[in-house]
Amino acid sequence: MEVKKKKDLKFILTDILLLIGMLLPIAAGLVLKVLTEPASEGISITGANVYFTIKMPIQDLPISEAQVNSVIVVLSVFFLCLFLTHGIKERPDSIRQHIAEYIVEQVSSLVSGNMGERFSMFAPFVAAIMGISVFSSLLTLVGLFPPTSDINITAGWAILVFILITHYKLKCGPIYYLKGFAEPIPLFAPLNVIGEIATPVSMAFRHYGNVLSGSVISVLVAAALQGLSAKLLSWLPGALAGFPLFQIGLPAVLSIYFDVFSGCLQAFIFAMLTMLYISNGFPEEDYIARQRRKDEKKRRAMAIQAKLDAKN
């Protein structure tokens, strides 16, 4: 009984430490924002605050609020995953394990349904993209700058996805890849090159634009409602004249749409585009035929070598 109590106490303490690890980066981000954000009056719609700049040989590297908050999201998601999988068993007996298994099953099913069984190993990558994107957009709920409203962050994700797309397009060799730009006729080569470059650009701007526009609309509507309240209630005496009547309810509803629903939707769209671009870019039939030709050449070479060895 004493050993069991010690195990239970150790388990609870580990859970507490994991929860602290999940919430501490967010708290640190809030403290950093309060200490560094310049004072402003009225409507203020600005980009990410630059904390400091690292001198580099070619171009200086600014460390901005978007980068710091991205690290905060990664750390929080990391400790959340550790919390959900802590004490995992063969037969689930806790709500957290059921949640973890449900997430794994849903993401695996999503990847298999859109990319096929060949790409089943992409499930952790897709889950990471969706998780980091969702939590990045939801940072606005606690007053932090959402990294997804910075084009540099979404462009970095899009470039990473573009590298994966190109990697799978090159599976049949560089000549096959370059020939694809001349389809259906060589005249279309410039347009095909532009289309190739447009893939990461469109992914980055779509995600960034939708999140940023939601933040801008929310701020403008809240400011307009504040002005409307002041205008209509100005005839009331004392503090009643400054009561923000029209700011009650509606900004919260807009926040649920733009910050929660739209953020989750954009994360899902980005993940879907990632899966579709990678799987559609992979020439599976030509790759299988190429592998068969390679295997056939290898078998012939081995047969010839065997005959030479037999003669010697």
Side-chain angles (χ1 to χ4, degrees):
M1 287 293 293
E2 199 170 325
V3 175
K4 187 178 179 182
K5 285 182 179 179
K6 286 183 179 179
K7 285 185 177 179
D8 291 341
L9 181 60
K10 184 179 178 182
F11 188 88
I12 293 171
L13 288 175
T14 305
D15 272 354
I16 293 172
L17 289 174
L18 291 176
L19 288 172
I20 291 173
M22 184 172 61
L23 298 175
L24 188 60
I26 299 174
L30 288 170
V31 172
L32 187 62
K33 182 180 179 66
V34 171
L35 294 176
T36 59
E37 187 174 21
S40 61
E41 295 182 2
I43 300 175
S44 178
I45 301 173
T46 59
N49 182 30
V50 177
Y51 292 128
F52 58 92
T53 302
I54 301 174
K55 296 294 182 181
M56 303 292 286
I58 300 176
Q59 184 177 357
D60 293 342
L61 176 64
I63 303 300
S64 69
E65 200 174 4
Q67 294 163 302
V68 173
N69 289 356
S70 292
V71 175
I72 288 172
V73 170
V74 170
L75 289 174
S76 296
V77 171
F78 173 71
F79 282 106
L80 174 62
C81 293
L82 291 179
F83 176 77
L84 290 176
T85 56
H86 181 222
I88 196 167
K89 297 179 182 178
E90 187 177 351
R91 292 186 177 182
D93 59 352
S94 62
I95 296 176
R96 75 172 83 176
Q97 185 169 344
H98 282 292
I99 294 173
E101 290 187 359
Y102 177 78
I103 293 172
V104 171
E105 289 173 0
Q106 292 301 312
V107 174
S108 298
S109 175
L110 183 68
V111 172
S112 298
N114 289 281
M115 303 182 76
E117 292 299 327
R118 178 183 288 274
F119 293 93
S120 59
M121 70 284 191
F122 268 85
F125 179 74
V126 172
I129 285 179
M130 293 182 68
I132 292 175
S133 178
V134 167
F135 282 96
S136 294
S137 299
L138 293 181
L139 279 185
T140 53
L141 297 179
V142 294
L144 291 176
F145 180 85
T148 44
S149 63
D150 189 323
I151 186 62
N152 298 291
I153 301 299
T154 56
W157 299 353
I159 290 170
L160 176 60
V161 172
F162 181 68
I163 291 171
L164 289 171
I165 295 169
T166 307
H167 168 73
Y168 279 96
K169 284 185 175 181
L170 286 168
K171 282 289 187 178
C172 287
I175 295 175
Y176 180 90
Y177 173 70
L178 293 174
K179 283 171 63 179
F181 289 108
E183 293 179 356
I185 56 175
L187 187 64
F188 284 179
L191 294 177
N192 290 332
V193 172
I194 294 172
E196 193 79 359
I197 298 172
T199 297
V201 174
S202 64
M203 290 183 71
F205 274 94
R206 180 185 289 108
H207 200 346
Y208 151 78
N210 280 284
V211 175
L212 179 63
S213 62
S215 301
V216 171
I217 291 172
S218 296
V219 171
L220 292 177
V221 169
L225 292 174
Q226 181 182 8
L228 182 62
S229 298
K231 192 75 174 176
L232 294 180
L233 301 179
S234 59
W235 58 274
L236 293 175
L240 293 175
F243 183 71
L245 176 64
F246 295 104
Q247 284 186 293
I248 299 175
L250 185 56
V253 174
L254 290 174
S255 178
I256 290 173
Y257 175 77
F258 288 118
D259 296 334
V260 180
F261 175 74
S262 181
C264 294
L265 180 63
Q266 293 308 315
F268 178 76
I269 291 173
F270 193 91
M272 285 293 297
L273 291 175
T274 298
M275 291 186 288
L276 294 176
Y277 281 138
I278 292 175
S279 59
N280 291 338
F282 176 58
E284 186 170 5
E285 294 181 1
D286 294 330
Y287 176 75
I288 293 172
R290 187 168 183 257
Q291 290 300 111
R292 285 175 181 170
R293 290 194 298 269
K294 277 187 175 182
D295 293 340
E296 185 63 29
K297 287 181 181 179
K298 190 176 180 180
R299 282 194 295 268
R300 288 176 184 175
M302 290 176 65
I304 293 171
Q305 186 64 39
K307 287 180 180 179
L308 293 172
D309 293 340
K311 286 181 181 180
N312 295 331

